[in-house]
Amino acid sequence: MEFKYLSDVVEFYEKFVQPYKGKPIGCSNSEINYLENYFGFQFPLAYKEYLKFMGKDNCIFIGSECFFGNVIENTKYLPELLSENNIDFVLPDKYLVFFVHQGYMAAWFELPKKSENPEVWFFTESSNNEMPKIIGTFTETILSDMKGMAKYLPEN
């Protein structure tokens, strides 16, 4: 598969992660279709490429729930996370939480898609109750997180 949006992520993974963790495990088209049917929207192409490339692989994102088997529960969890932290933030009617880290961080994008590489909203628990904010595009977020985790691999 050619990766139009995920090319930098794929290149980084193959060069810096794959020698230590092996090839990633991607989702099938039927698994992606299942999630799209569950959420009721076609996903942005960047997210579909992510799912195809490494949507079932937990080898680099240690402690994070950001794969096929996590998305539904992650999305259900976000309102609770915001409420527990007394964050008065109005979520859009529909969204997909593709990333939760150890229950105190979450990242999501709105549905229906506004672009093929959507802006990502991010929230982390903090002592000063910071509001969720946009941190970049989906692919920028994945690449940044991957680079951060790759620092803990041997010789990186």
Side-chain angles (χ1 to χ4, degrees), residues 2-19:
E2 184 178 326
F3 294 101
K4 178 178 179 181
Y5 293 95
L6 210 66
S7 60
D8 289 344
V9 171
V10 171
E11 182 180 324
F12 183 86
Y13 187 96
E14 288 175 348
K15 186 173 182 180
F16 296 107
V17 179
Q18 190 166 309

mmCIF file of all heavy atoms in Angstrom, residues 2-19:
data_model
loop_
_atom_site.group_PDB
_atom_site.id
_atom_site.type_symbol
_atom_site.label_atom_id
_atom_site.label_comp_id
_atom_site.label_asym_id
_atom_site.label_seq_id
_atom_site.Cartn_x
_atom_site.Cartn_y
_atom_site.Cartn_z
ATOM 1 N N GLU A 2 0.499 2.193 -0.804
ATOM 2 C CA GLU A 2 1.201 3.472 -0.823
ATOM 3 C C GLU A 2 0.612 4.353 0.277
ATOM 4 O O GLU A 2 -0.602 4.428 0.442
ATOM 5 C CB GLU A 2 1.017 4.155 -2.178
ATOM 6 C CG GLU A 2 1.791 5.446 -2.287
ATOM 7 C CD GLU A 2 1.648 6.098 -3.647
ATOM 8 O OE1 GLU A 2 1.545 5.375 -4.651
ATOM 9 O OE2 GLU A 2 1.614 7.330 -3.694
ATOM 10 N N PHE A 3 1.491 4.992 1.033
ATOM 11 C CA PHE A 3 1.048 5.832 2.137
ATOM 12 C C PHE A 3 1.250 7.294 1.770
ATOM 13 O O PHE A 3 2.369 7.794 1.793
ATOM 14 C CB PHE A 3 1.811 5.487 3.420
ATOM 15 C CG PHE A 3 1.523 4.106 3.927
ATOM 16 C CD1 PHE A 3 2.408 3.066 3.705
ATOM 17 C CD2 PHE A 3 0.351 3.844 4.604
ATOM 18 C CE1 PHE A 3 2.137 1.793 4.167
ATOM 19 C CE2 PHE A 3 0.061 2.571 5.075
ATOM 20 C CZ PHE A 3 0.960 1.540 4.850
ATOM 21 N N LYS A 4 0.162 7.957 1.452
ATOM 22 C CA LYS A 4 0.226 9.363 1.057
ATOM 23 C C LYS A 4 0.464 10.261 2.275
ATOM 24 O O LYS A 4 1.307 11.140 2.248
ATOM 25 C CB LYS A 4 -1.081 9.739 0.360
ATOM 26 C CG LYS A 4 -1.153 11.186 -0.056
ATOM 27 C CD LYS A 4 -2.452 11.493 -0.776
ATOM 28 C CE LYS A 4 -2.514 12.949 -1.168
ATOM 29 N NZ LYS A 4 -3.754 13.292 -1.837
ATOM 30 N N TYR A 5 -0.256 10.028 3.338
ATOM 31 C CA TYR A 5 -0.172 10.884 4.520
ATOM 32 C C TYR A 5 0.800 10.347 5.565
ATOM 33 O O TYR A 5 1.380 11.099 6.322
ATOM 34 C CB TYR A 5 -1.560 11.069 5.153
ATOM 35 C CG TYR A 5 -2.480 11.848 4.267
ATOM 36 C CD1 TYR A 5 -3.361 11.209 3.413
ATOM 37 C CD2 TYR A 5 -2.443 13.238 4.262
ATOM 38 C CE1 TYR A 5 -4.192 11.933 2.573
ATOM 39 C CE2 TYR A 5 -3.264 13.965 3.419
ATOM 40 C CZ TYR A 5 -4.141 13.308 2.573
ATOM 41 O OH TYR A 5 -4.944 14.019 1.744
ATOM 42 N N LEU A 6 0.961 9.054 5.612
ATOM 43 C CA LEU A 6 1.747 8.419 6.664
ATOM 44 C C LEU A 6 3.197 8.134 6.250
ATOM 45 O O LEU A 6 3.937 7.498 6.975
ATOM 46 C CB LEU A 6 1.057 7.113 7.069
ATOM 47 C CG LEU A 6 1.232 6.660 8.500
ATOM 48 C CD1 LEU A 6 0.558 7.617 9.463
ATOM 49 C CD2 LEU A 6 0.712 5.259 8.690
ATOM 50 N N SER A 7 3.630 8.652 5.116
ATOM 51 C CA SER A 7 4.945 8.292 4.576
ATOM 52 C C SER A 7 6.095 8.598 5.544
ATOM 53 O O SER A 7 7.012 7.789 5.697
ATOM 54 C CB SER A 7 5.193 8.957 3.224
ATOM 55 O OG SER A 7 5.137 10.367 3.349
ATOM 56 N N ASP A 8 6.072 9.735 6.228
ATOM 57 C CA ASP A 8 7.139 10.070 7.178
ATOM 58 C C ASP A 8 7.133 9.121 8.383
ATOM 59 O O ASP A 8 8.186 8.750 8.893
ATOM 60 C CB ASP A 8 7.017 11.518 7.665
ATOM 61 C CG ASP A 8 7.358 12.529 6.588
ATOM 62 O OD1 ASP A 8 7.967 12.147 5.577
ATOM 63 O OD2 ASP A 8 7.000 13.714 6.764
ATOM 64 N N VAL A 9 5.953 8.735 8.819
ATOM 65 C CA VAL A 9 5.827 7.803 9.936
ATOM 66 C C VAL A 9 6.376 6.435 9.525
ATOM 67 O O VAL A 9 7.158 5.818 10.266
ATOM 68 C CB VAL A 9 4.363 7.682 10.407
ATOM 69 C CG1 VAL A 9 4.195 6.559 11.420
ATOM 70 C CG2 VAL A 9 3.869 9.009 10.971
ATOM 71 N N VAL A 10 5.996 5.970 8.348
ATOM 72 C CA VAL A 10 6.458 4.676 7.848
ATOM 73 C C VAL A 10 7.980 4.681 7.703
ATOM 74 O O VAL A 10 8.665 3.751 8.135
ATOM 75 C CB VAL A 10 5.772 4.322 6.506
ATOM 76 C CG1 VAL A 10 6.413 3.090 5.867
ATOM 77 C CG2 VAL A 10 4.282 4.114 6.708
ATOM 78 N N GLU A 11 8.513 5.739 7.119
ATOM 79 C CA GLU A 11 9.965 5.848 6.928
ATOM 80 C C GLU A 11 10.700 5.830 8.272
ATOM 81 O O GLU A 11 11.692 5.117 8.438
ATOM 82 C CB GLU A 11 10.295 7.133 6.171
ATOM 83 C CG GLU A 11 11.766 7.316 5.885
ATOM 84 C CD GLU A 11 12.043 8.608 5.122
ATOM 85 O OE1 GLU A 11 11.225 9.003 4.273
ATOM 86 O OE2 GLU A 11 13.098 9.211 5.393
ATOM 87 N N PHE A 12 10.216 6.596 9.241
ATOM 88 C CA PHE A 12 10.858 6.627 10.554
ATOM 89 C C PHE A 12 10.776 5.251 11.218
ATOM 90 O O PHE A 12 11.758 4.750 11.765
ATOM 91 C CB PHE A 12 10.218 7.689 11.457
ATOM 92 C CG PHE A 12 10.890 7.795 12.797
ATOM 93 C CD1 PHE A 12 12.000 8.617 12.962
ATOM 94 C CD2 PHE A 12 10.438 7.061 13.877
ATOM 95 C CE1 PHE A 12 12.643 8.697 14.189
ATOM 96 C CE2 PHE A 12 11.078 7.127 15.113
ATOM 97 C CZ PHE A 12 12.181 7.952 15.265
ATOM 98 N N TYR A 13 9.601 4.634 11.160
ATOM 99 C CA TYR A 13 9.426 3.325 11.773
ATOM 100 C C TYR A 13 10.400 2.312 11.170
ATOM 101 O O TYR A 13 11.086 1.586 11.888
ATOM 102 C CB TYR A 13 7.985 2.834 11.620
ATOM 103 C CG TYR A 13 7.739 1.559 12.390
ATOM 104 C CD1 TYR A 13 7.189 1.591 13.656
ATOM 105 C CD2 TYR A 13 8.090 0.318 11.860
ATOM 106 C CE1 TYR A 13 6.989 0.424 14.386
ATOM 107 C CE2 TYR A 13 7.904 -0.851 12.579
ATOM 108 C CZ TYR A 13 7.353 -0.783 13.841
ATOM 109 O OH TYR A 13 7.180 -1.936 14.565
ATOM 110 N N GLU A 14 10.437 2.270 9.847
ATOM 111 C CA GLU A 14 11.287 1.282 9.180
ATOM 112 C C GLU A 14 12.764 1.492 9.508
ATOM 113 O O GLU A 14 13.508 0.522 9.655
ATOM 114 C CB GLU A 14 11.044 1.308 7.675
ATOM 115 C CG GLU A 14 9.690 0.720 7.301
ATOM 116 C CD GLU A 14 9.349 0.837 5.828
ATOM 117 O OE1 GLU A 14 10.045 1.583 5.083
ATOM 118 O OE2 GLU A 14 8.375 0.186 5.407
ATOM 119 N N LYS A 15 13.188 2.728 9.647
ATOM 120 C CA LYS A 15 14.606 3.019 9.892
ATOM 121 C C LYS A 15 14.999 2.867 11.361
ATOM 122 O O LYS A 15 16.048 2.304 11.673
ATOM 123 C CB LYS A 15 14.917 4.439 9.421
ATOM 124 C CG LYS A 15 16.383 4.803 9.494
ATOM 125 C CD LYS A 15 16.649 6.143 8.852
ATOM 126 C CE LYS A 15 18.129 6.464 8.895
ATOM 127 N NZ LYS A 15 18.420 7.766 8.287
ATOM 128 N N PHE A 16 14.168 3.352 12.275
ATOM 129 C CA PHE A 16 14.576 3.436 13.673
ATOM 130 C C PHE A 16 13.877 2.467 14.628
ATOM 131 O O PHE A 16 14.380 2.216 15.717
ATOM 132 C CB PHE A 16 14.385 4.866 14.194
ATOM 133 C CG PHE A 16 15.257 5.858 13.503
ATOM 134 C CD1 PHE A 16 14.720 6.748 12.595
ATOM 135 C CD2 PHE A 16 16.623 5.900 13.745
ATOM 136 C CE1 PHE A 16 15.532 7.671 11.940
ATOM 137 C CE2 PHE A 16 17.440 6.810 13.109
ATOM 138 C CZ PHE A 16 16.898 7.702 12.191
ATOM 139 N N VAL A 17 12.724 1.958 14.247
ATOM 140 C CA VAL A 17 11.964 1.098 15.154
ATOM 141 C C VAL A 17 11.994 -0.363 14.705
ATOM 142 O O VAL A 17 12.233 -1.261 15.510
ATOM 143 C CB VAL A 17 10.504 1.587 15.296
ATOM 144 C CG1 VAL A 17 9.719 0.673 16.223
ATOM 145 C CG2 VAL A 17 10.471 3.029 15.784
ATOM 146 N N GLN A 18 11.779 -0.582 13.443
ATOM 147 C CA GLN A 18 11.671 -1.944 12.929
ATOM 148 C C GLN A 18 12.881 -2.825 13.246
ATOM 149 O O GLN A 18 12.695 -4.001 13.563
ATOM 150 C CB GLN A 18 11.404 -1.904 11.423
ATOM 151 C CG GLN A 18 11.049 -3.249 10.837
ATOM 152 C CD GLN A 18 10.485 -3.116 9.455
ATOM 153 O OE1 GLN A 18 9.572 -2.335 9.226
ATOM 154 N NE2 GLN A 18 11.029 -3.881 8.526
ATOM 155 N N PRO A 19 14.129 -2.293 13.210
ATOM 156 C CA PRO A 19 15.262 -3.172 13.558
ATOM 157 C C PRO A 19 15.172 -3.750 14.973
ATOM 158 O O PRO A 19 15.755 -4.796 15.244
ATOM 159 C CB PRO A 19 16.471 -2.247 13.422
ATOM 160 C CG PRO A 19 16.049 -1.192 12.467
ATOM 161 C CD PRO A 19 14.582 -0.983 12.736
#
